[in-house]
């Protein structure tokens, strides 16, 4: 607008809602509330004052809505980047954990294969030893039975 801080001059606000910084050389006209009221009394402009008050209230409400909207939009924008950063960190963590999990599974699988191989070798060795032991027992039995067989044959010949 052509002026700022009119709500202060009109007595609706005690402080201005923002800070203004001039980007270039600026001339500012200062009208205090006291001077404004005195001017109204001298010139009898009560109706103009009410109109100004109504207009300034509307503009102030629109301005505050605009600021709130911009603030909310900015917060949402920043939060979306924060969420995106959080999402990227979460995705990274998922892949790191997945990699650790798969590596552990590979180690476990290798270990199980080694255990199975050792068990297989041990079982094969045990079966070979058992077969040898059974052959030895069989040979001993046959050796023990062979002399008896000869005795039985002698008996059979004599009968």
């Amino acid at each position: 607008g052509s002026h700022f801080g009119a709500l202060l001059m009109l007595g609706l606000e005690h402080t201005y809602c923002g800070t203004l910084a001039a980007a270039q050389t600026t001339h500012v006209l200062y009208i205090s509330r006291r001077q404004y009221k005195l001017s109204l009394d001298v010139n009898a402009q009560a109706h103009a004052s009410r109109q100004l008050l109504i207009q300034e209230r509307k503009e102030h409400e629109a301005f505050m809505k605009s600021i709130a909207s911009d603030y909310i939009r900015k917060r949402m924008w920043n939060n979306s980047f924060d969420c995106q950063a959080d999402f990227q960190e979460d995705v990274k963590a998922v892949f790191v954990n997945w990699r650790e999990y798969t590596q552990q599974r590979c180690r476990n699988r290798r270990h199980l294969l080694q255990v199975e191989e050792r068990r297989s070798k041990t079982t094969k060795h045990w079966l070979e030893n058992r077969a040898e032991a059974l052959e030895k027992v069989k040979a001993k039995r046959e050796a023990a039975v062979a002399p008896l067989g000869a005795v039985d044959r002698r008996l059979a010949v004599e009968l």
Side-chain angles (χ1 to χ4, degrees), residues 66-151:
S66 170
I67 288 175
S69 175
D70 288 347
Y71 175 76
I72 290 170
R73 190 178 307 116
K74 183 178 177 182
R75 289 292 302 258
M76 289 174 66
W77 181 261
N78 289 340
N79 286 344
S80 70
F81 281 113
D82 291 343
C83 290
Q84 187 177 9
D86 291 344
F87 176 74
Q88 288 173 347
E89 289 172 13
D90 290 346
V91 168
K92 183 178 179 181
V94 164
F95 280 111
V96 166
N97 290 335
W98 176 77
R99 183 174 183 196
E100 290 173 4
Y101 171 76
T102 55
Q103 288 174 344
Q104 184 63 40
R105 289 282 302 211
C106 287
R107 286 191 293 268
N108 289 348
R109 191 176 304 125
R110 273 189 241 117
H111 176 71
L112 289 174
L113 288 173
Q114 290 171 352
V115 167
E116 187 177 327
E117 188 177 325
R118 280 193 304 254
R119 187 177 297 137
S120 176
K121 284 181 182 179
T122 303
T123 303
K124 184 178 177 182
H125 182 67
W126 181 82
L127 289 172
E128 288 171 357
N129 287 343
R130 184 170 184 241
E132 287 176 17
L134 289 173
E135 286 179 23
K136 285 181 184 178
V137 167
K138 186 178 178 182
K140 282 184 184 179
R141 280 187 190 160
E142 288 176 0
V145 171
L148 291 176
V151 170

Side-chain angles (χ1 to χ4, degrees), residues 36-62:
Y36 175 72
K37 284 208 158 254
L38 182 62
S39 171
L40 285 178
D41 290 341
V42 170
N43 295 319
Q45 295 291 324
H47 178 68
S49 175
R50 273 190 298 253
Q51 291 291 30
L52 179 62
L53 186 64
I54 291 169
Q55 180 185 345
E56 285 299 319
R57 258 193 206 144
K58 286 180 182 176
E59 288 180 8
H60 179 68
E61 287 173 6

Side-chain angles (χ1 to χ4, degrees), residues 2-65:
S2 59
H3 54 277
F4 67 92
L7 293 178
L8 296 171
M9 183 180 68
L10 295 171
L12 294 175
E13 296 285 332
H14 296 289
T15 57
Y16 192 64
C17 61
T19 301
L20 297 177
Q24 60 190 18
T25 303
T26 305
H27 300 281
V28 178
L29 174 63
Y30 172 76
I31 301 173
S32 69
R33 175 149 176 77
R34 190 173 140 253
Q35 290 171 334
Y36 175 72
K37 284 208 158 254
L38 182 62
S39 171
L40 285 178
D41 290 341
V42 170
N43 295 319
Q45 295 291 324
H47 178 68
S49 175
R50 273 190 298 253
Q51 291 291 30
L52 179 62
L53 186 64
I54 291 169
Q55 180 185 345
E56 285 299 319
R57 258 193 206 144
K58 286 180 182 176
E59 288 180 8
H60 179 68
E61 287 173 6
F63 178 67
M64 293 308 287
K65 283 181 185 177

